[in-house]
Amino acid sequence: MLRSLLTSLALALAAAAWPAHATYPDRPVTLIVPFAPGGGADAMGRAIGLYLEKRLKQPVVVANRPGAGGQIGFTAIAKAKPDGYTIGIITAPNVVVFPLQRPTQYKLSEFALIANLVEDDGMFFVRKESPFKSMPDVVAYAKANPGKVTVGTTGEGSLPHLTMLALEQKAGIQLTAVHYAGAAPTRMGILAGDLDMAYVTAVDGAGDLRAGMVRALGVTARKRLNSIPTAPTLVEQGYDVVTSASRGLAAPAGTPEDVLKLLRSAVADASKDPAFVEIAHKQGMPLHYMDHETFAKDLLRQQQEYSVVWKERVSK
């Protein structure tokens, strides 16, 4: 009997010591999107969430945690229990730039990167009635009228704001930023005639372009976009401004390696799956897969580059 009791105790202790993630996942997974429904990050989160459901054979619940340019959601991801049951979308440059500007409740070291999945190039655009026909038109006017050209952005330190600062630096001009809470109100500001120019991702501005309500003055990609072939790059027009918005997935630091391996494999497979690629194409999501190591290097690159831009802005 004693031997039987000892055997039972040993088995119980072994079961207690067995990692909780050994059967991961055995319940629903929460995927945090740090922005409101309807935007590019939300579209990506819901698309990859459905794919992960099939791979993980558990529900993936999308939880929108908008606010502060993504900081509320980033913090929720970083501070979640590192067991693989809470993951989320992180967007760059937002996630790397905010800690450069002010104290934040998260650190980059608190994320275990899964992969980058989408990269959105952006554009400066104006209303169709605007007298500005090209970026040199804007630059010439801004040089003669410092500060008079208003530019819509999605907030202090956001990608649109940083791109505007980069244009100021490269072109030697002074613009005036007008901050909005998101891409939708920024677009409305242009359409209502409240702004001279705005910066949005090509995906966010695609509908207005198709409707003929706006005109793209330049895209901030290395080469012209297939979706807007008539819009020249800023580089073509003499301004070395190249920026984009990366959207990837991360878990809290400390998440077990075998869980991360499963998630990383699933996202890698999604990026090559014809059905997922078709969904991404239909929703206007430009896929740009980077594994977690390449993603980490890219975030470090962005951190270094935007640190210079932000320091120059603050020193003015």
Side-chain angles (χ1 to χ4, degrees):
M1 182 176 291
L2 178 60
R3 180 179 296 176
S4 177
L5 286 172
L6 289 174
T7 301
S8 298
L9 179 59
L11 290 173
L13 289 173
W18 190 257
H21 58 274
T23 56
Y24 176 86
D26 60 5
R27 61 181 188 273
V29 174
T30 296
L31 192 155
I32 294 173
V33 174
F35 299 94
D42 183 64
M44 174 187 143
R46 294 180 187 280
I48 193 63
L50 289 173
Y51 186 88
L52 289 175
E53 280 191 351
K54 296 177 183 178
R55 280 292 301 269
L56 301 179
K57 295 181 171 50
Q58 288 289 342
V60 174
V61 181
V62 174
N64 295 89
R65 297 289 299 276
Q71 289 183 74
I72 292 175
F74 299 153
T75 301
I77 298 166
K79 302 300 183 184
K81 186 177 180 180
D83 56 7
Y85 288 97
T86 300
I87 60 175
I89 306 295
I90 60 172
T91 60
N94 304 51
V95 73
V96 299
V97 168
F98 290 134
L100 299 175
Q101 302 169 349
R102 63 185 78 90
T104 56
Q105 295 181 35
Y106 70 87
K107 299 176 183 177
L108 288 179
S109 60
E110 292 180 291
F111 296 107
L113 300 180
I114 296 172
N116 186 73
L117 192 56
V118 168
E119 184 172 15
D120 264 352
D121 293 299
M123 64 179 174
F124 284 103
F125 73 160
V126 296
R127 271 202 316 165
K128 65 178 181 179
E129 297 87 358
S130 172
F132 300 132
K133 307 297 182 184
S134 67
M135 193 55 71
D137 287 349
V138 175
V139 171
Y141 183 84
K143 284 185 175 180
N145 302 274
K148 287 196 175 181
V149 176
T150 56
V151 181
T153 84
T154 53
E156 179 89 2
S158 64
L159 173 64
H161 186 214
L162 291 167
T163 304
M164 188 205 84
L165 296 178
L167 177 61
E168 284 186 323
Q169 180 190 69
K170 299 296 183 180
I173 57 177
Q174 181 182 342
L175 305 168
T176 296
V178 181
H179 302 308
Y180 289 80
T186 303
R187 291 172 37 243
M188 291 303 103
I190 279 287
L191 297 177
D194 298 331
L195 297 167
D196 295 313
M197 182 169 69
Y199 179 95
V200 296
T201 65
V203 171
D204 285 330
D208 296 332
L209 283 171
R210 285 194 298 268
M213 296 186 291
V214 298
R215 182 169 57 251
L217 298 186
V219 297
T220 58
R222 284 285 176 197
K223 60 181 182 179
R224 294 195 183 198
L225 304 180
N226 293 332
S227 57
I228 323 171
T230 59
T233 67
L234 264 68
V235 173
E236 281 182 69
Q237 299 177 78
Y239 315 106
D240 188 18
V241 178
V242 179
T243 62
S244 61
S246 299
R247 299 188 180 118
L249 291 101
T255 299
E257 280 301 316
D258 56 341
V259 172
L260 290 172
K261 184 177 180 180
L262 175 60
L263 293 169
R264 287 165 178 164
S265 174
V267 176
D269 289 347
S271 71
K272 297 175 288 188
D273 184 278
F276 183 82
V277 171
E278 180 65 18
I279 290 171
H281 177 72
K282 287 181 178 178
Q283 295 192 7
M285 293 188 296
L287 293 180
H288 181 71
Y289 172 79
M290 289 185 276
D291 65 26
H292 66 285
E293 293 178 339
T294 307
F295 191 20
K297 291 176 182 177
D298 191 64
L299 291 180
L300 179 60
R301 174 193 63 79
Q302 293 191 53
Q303 185 181 52
Q304 293 170 338
E305 291 179 359
Y306 286 116
S307 176
V308 173
V309 172
W310 190 253
K311 286 178 181 176
E312 289 190 4
R313 190 265 186 195
V314 172
S315 65
K316 288 183 180 180

